[in-house]
Amino acid sequence: MAYKIIGKDLTPPDIEAKVTGKAKYAEDFRADGMVFLKLLASPMPHAKVKNIDLSKARKVPGFVGVLTADELKQPKDAGHAILTNDPAFVGQPILAIAAESEQAAAEAIEAVEIELEPLPFVIDPLDSLKPNGPNAINGGNVANRRGVKFQEIKWSGKDFALAGDDQLPQGQVPIDWSYGDLEAKFKESVLVLEEAFVSSANAHHALEPRSAAAYWENGKVHVWGSTQSSSFAVPSLAKYIGVKPSEVVMVSEFCGGGFGGKGYAYPVMAIPAFMSKKLGGRPVMMRMSRAEEFYNGSARAGFQGSVKIGFGADGRVKALDAFVVQDNGPTGGFWDFQNFGDASSIVFQPEAMRYRGIPVLTNTPPKGPQRGPGENQTANVLEPLMDKAARKLGIDPLALRLMNSPGGGGAGVKIGAKQAPVTSAYLREALEQGAKAFNYAERKKNSGKRVGSKIRAVGIGQAYHSAGGAGFDGLVRITPDGILHIHTGVGNLGTYSYMDTSRVAAEVLGYDWSRCVIERGGTKANMPWNLGQFGSNTSFTMTRTNFAAGTACKELLLEIGSMVMGGTSDNYQIADEKIVAKTGGKSITFAEAAQKAIELGGKFSGQEVDEELNPMTKASAKALAGTGLVAAAKDKQPKKGVVPGLAAAFIEIELDAETGRVDIIDYLGIPDVGTVLHPKGLAAQVRGAAVMGFGLAALERYVYDPEYGRPNIRGLYQAKPPSYLDVPAFMQSVYVEGATDPQNPVGAKGVGEPIQGAASSAYLSAITEALGGHTFNRVPVVADMIINHLNGLAPSHKPLQVNCQ
Amino acid sequence: MSWNSETPETLDAGMVMPPDPANDFGPEPATVEIAGNVVGEPESWRPPTLARRTFLRGVVCSGVVIASSGYLFSSQPANASAKSTDRLITLSINGKKHRLNVPSNETLAHTLRYRLGLTGTKLGCNRAECGACTVIIGDVTEYSCSTLTSRMQGKEIRTIEGIAQNGKLHPVQQAFIDELGPQCGFCTPGQVMSAVNLLEMNANPSVDEVRLAMSGNLCRCGAYEHYLNGVMKVVRGA
């Protein structure tokens, strides 16, 4: 399909503001009379506030106001409270103070005299599962936002004794599903691997800390916040503040990184709104520090697990039995651990499978989705095991993966407990095309060879994340000057998906891109209700909404054409921003049609809209009514099956056996995205995801001091996200040719997450290759692990120890 | 799902719904009883290292760094008085003079962002770890978050706002646009400053020299290669 706009490299309208410093983020908000708010954060992982004495704080010059937990209507999930007297993690905000300057606010915080009673805390989930182990919060130790009620589960002493030190005890779990005949398939297998594993938690550490500002005016609260999504963030923000979504004016034109941690609103975003309300609507700025961003910014869930995989002689995965204990943080958390089941089922298509999982509460930062939550941890655990299996079976690691990988467009591919179908899949093709582009066969010849202290090795990675939704709304408008305004609720987290999905409306209408304006950035843009920018979904979901809106607009244009020039809509077509008679040559411009639409009103100009639209979309259409031809439409196209984002990656490394240092010689990422919307944008994502993947696999740490339960990685220099010098200068980014998703009008699906898991798992796969098939079963793999292994020394951690590296 | 009645049922396995504060589990507040591992007294919760604010407070009073273990809940505040002394200073920013009264412990980043309306310089860490606050002072890139404004008398300071001249983008800025350097854009001002300064010092750097020169600018989005391509584009085009 030859597109005019889709598939071209366009200059995003907001990029100049980024290079000139004109782009405004949440902390750039300024207003007369603005006060500054600072938080008092819990120094203890689990505590009870016994007494707060504010007398000295109030006397600090510049003090303006204080907000305590009792003054707020708290969410029922106390571990995720906005402010709390029962902190459940180090850094949880207890109270807030506003003052005329940030320095004064900080002075006042220091002048607060607070008495805290320390309580038992949990850093290691297994500790909490022990018969007399502590609970992270009072009353229970197990919960998860998806399908696991708050409860207490303790395993028996026998469970622990049977497992010993290096195997995962496997007690009672709340999630347990299976398909196929597991026992029979294991019997059929010629090779069975059974390994315990640990995958570390990981802080998002987006570069922009989640500062926020708020003021009240005319009964509405105005909030400047940092969020990945625009329309999707509004209802959650409203709920935290305790108002209706229509009473919130959210401003979020730029978001300095989210990676899942800012997918929608979060508790601290509401604090300035509460303080402002208390101060009579006065503007309040809450600048978040890096440490506060670490505490409140969520983190990827850690895993302690065990997996048993049965292989046929040809490398086919016959049986897979997975058991995952998740470090859930102190709140409802996220369902990473459940995604282990989905990811392993789709990538390897096991003939029989069992999945068991248990989310355990801990007193560490609340866990939230991070790029490929669960799926990328899964890839990091399983891909090196595939290399190990390939060696033991005497087959090529690529051949083993090709034996199992879903492809051919997705027919017959299944996913998850219910073995649901998928809309498309080309992972096999990604491996084949990627191997060719990377010259895998040539490089493999030297893989594992040692020259001096250097060992070269080639690795392969794969990953999955669901990548599409349906049923959301689009909204476009042609003003009397003939300009197309594409209203979008897609946030601006740095992927430019707001532009790449909006272009579909322009494509449908045959518009010149230079005559299109994207209206975005928050409530004032009059947004349609869009799904949020997470879960790799945007490129699928909002191409559908823009297709729907563009199509609805086209129908209205044709109808107006027939009303002006006679006949019916069927007598006309659109071309060059005109409505043209199919025979006879009569035409009117889109500009004239827009003027006519205003005259006609009703369904032509936003006064009457589809009842099925979301209230947000209806309100936006109403606000725009009478300004031109207004077309609001719901994506009612059917959607059956899971939309799978899939990616493969190839890497060549050089491992130094003496220092444990790993240098990346070359990298190639190849996602299955169907139709490519924005080539340069895709390349930026593939490379950026690889950088983050290498960090996840090897560089980034998550360490808690077990005695006091305090984190040692609040700062960037400790957590250590990768810098220019940690990654190769140049990385190859390609994509599967000939792929398309039939359930998307332009054949596209999203990609942001599996490209990270493919990179991190490829890296780990290469290390396994370099080390003759040895798997650490622990992520991140750091230099001392490599050195200890090569020198036959014991690792510096216990097998299932967590938060220690 | 109680979030929004319009929420479609067609969300996939991985679809994220925000936590519903009204419905998520609600444990009772913690009781007084302590069981299991008992931790130390509140005293032990002080971090062993020097708090940054205490350091800055020390700068105010005597111009000498006072080592102190004073901390959040200390009943013995550090010797330094909480009040800072203001300094009258003339700053030269992007060629313009600004006469200001600033506390002697105020950082240049804070002055730029909060007193002069120059919000292009960003705060990513406020600790000299990330480079988002990079400015050029004289002919050297510095982290403005760790530079005291009161020491800037007589220095020529350039920020991101001063890079484009008369509405015309600097070649580095244009190249970053062409190569799609910025993703979220938060590190971008710092990247521009480092690249501009590098090319003023060395108009023909190698790829590795560029990576080294810009290694003080972290990019969590991982856009390094695109920034690198932008700089090399200017190098080759020049």
Side-chain angles (χ1 to χ4, degrees), chain A residues 472-537:
Chain A
F472 292 83
D473 300 339
L475 176 60
V476 301
R477 167 171 76 109
I478 301 177
T479 38
D481 53 2
I483 299 292
L484 177 67
H485 300 256
I486 306 163
H487 292 256
T488 180
V490 171
N492 188 13
L493 65 164
T495 61
Y496 302 110
S497 56
Y498 78 84
M499 173 180 80
D500 301 329
T501 52
S502 293
R503 40 169 117 192
V504 173
E507 187 82 55
V508 167
L509 293 165
Y511 250 94
D512 195 295
W513 185 244
S514 67
R515 291 169 49 73
C516 298
V517 168
I518 300 175
E519 308 278 4
R520 60 170 201 91
T523 306
K524 293 183 212 171
N526 292 304
M527 308 180 284
W529 174 241
N530 283 167
L531 186 53
Q533 279 49 72
F534 42 66
S536 303
N537 85 86

Side-chain angles (χ1 to χ4, degrees), chain A residues 468-794:
Chain A
F472 292 83
D473 300 339
L475 176 60
V476 301
R477 167 171 76 109
I478 301 177
T479 38
D481 53 2
I483 299 292
L484 177 67
H485 300 256
I486 306 163
H487 292 256
T488 180
V490 171
N492 188 13
L493 65 164
T495 61
Y496 302 110
S497 56
Y498 78 84
M499 173 180 80
D500 301 329
T501 52
S502 293
R503 40 169 117 192
V504 173
E507 187 82 55
V508 167
L509 293 165
Y511 250 94
D512 195 295
W513 185 244
S514 67
R515 291 169 49 73
C516 298
V517 168
I518 300 175
E519 308 278 4
R520 60 170 201 91
T523 306
K524 293 183 212 171
N526 292 304
M527 308 180 284
W529 174 241
N530 283 167
L531 186 53
Q533 279 49 72
F534 42 66
S536 303
N537 85 86
T538 305
S539 291
F540 180 94
T541 318
M542 266 55 78
T543 43
R544 285 172 64 122
T545 56
N546 279 291
F547 184 82
T551 304
C553 185
K554 182 173 167 183
E555 280 160 16
L556 291 175
L557 284 165
L558 293 173
E559 199 175 330
I560 290 176
S562 72
M563 289 168 87
V564 170
M565 296 180 277
T568 65
S569 298
D570 292 332
N571 303 131
Y572 298 91
Q573 58 197 12
I574 59 171
D576 300 322
E577 296 169 31
K578 295 194 188 79
I579 304 141
V580 185
K582 285 179 182 165
T583 53
K586 274 203 279 192
S587 74
I588 59 170
T589 64
F590 282 2
E592 288 167 322
Q595 291 157 32
K596 186 73 184 172
I598 295 173
E599 269 177 53
L600 293 167
K603 68 174 182 179
F604 296 99
S605 193
Q607 283 88 354
E608 285 163 31
V609 293
D610 185 347
E611 269 314 298
E612 289 183 48
L613 289 168
N614 180 280
M616 180 186 283
T617 315
K618 286 186 197 164
S620 296
K622 192 166 171 210
L624 296 167
T627 64
L629 192 160
V630 176
K634 186 182 168 110
D635 162 30
K636 293 182 187 173
Q637 298 238 333
K639 180 180 153 298
K640 189 168 186 291
V642 171
V643 183
L646 295 161
F650 291 82
I651 197 171
E652 187 172 8
I653 62 167
E654 191 173 76
L655 185 151
D656 189 313
E658 280 167 18
T659 62
R661 182 194 160 106
V662 175
D663 280 313
I664 300 167
I665 305 300
D666 209 347
Y667 175 83
L668 180 142
I670 175 165
D672 159 22
V673 292
T675 301
V676 176
L677 301 170
H678 181 185
K680 212 159 223 167
L682 177 64
Q685 288 310 305
V686 170
R687 294 173 179 138
V691 170
M692 210 173 180
F694 303 145
L696 182 67
L699 297 168
E700 295 176 36
R701 322 300 280 252
Y702 207 81
V703 181
Y704 265 74
D705 145 39
E707 192 169 349
Y708 291 110
R710 292 174 59 95
N712 292 349
I713 30 64
R714 305 174 316 168
L716 292 170
Y717 77 97
Q718 295 158 319
K720 192 61 174 70
S723 79
Y724 278 91
L725 302 178
D726 296 312
V727 300
F730 304 110
M731 292 186 273
Q732 298 180 60
S733 162
V734 295
Y735 53 87
V736 176
E737 306 266 355
T740 184
D741 193 296
Q743 295 200 36
N744 180 277
V746 300
K749 53 183 181 181
V751 75
E753 294 165 286
I755 40 178
Q756 184 201 18
S760 55
S761 60
Y763 182 104
L764 295 165
S765 152
I767 292 182
T768 291
E769 282 293 302
L771 299 177
H774 173 78
T775 56
F776 290 102
N777 299 324
R778 173 176 282 266
V779 182
V781 170
V782 298
D784 21 311
M785 286 163 66
I786 296 173
I787 293 172
N788 285 340
H789 167 72
L790 285 172
N791 289 286
L793 300 168

Side-chain angles (χ1 to χ4, degrees), chain A residues 41 43 110 710, chain B residues 45-47 51 54 68-76 78:
Chain A
E110 288 204 1
R710 292 174 59 95
Chain B
W45 295 101
R46 289 190 199 138
T54 314
S68 165
S69 62
Y71 172 63
L72 204 61
F73 308 127
S74 170
S75 55
Q76 298 290 326

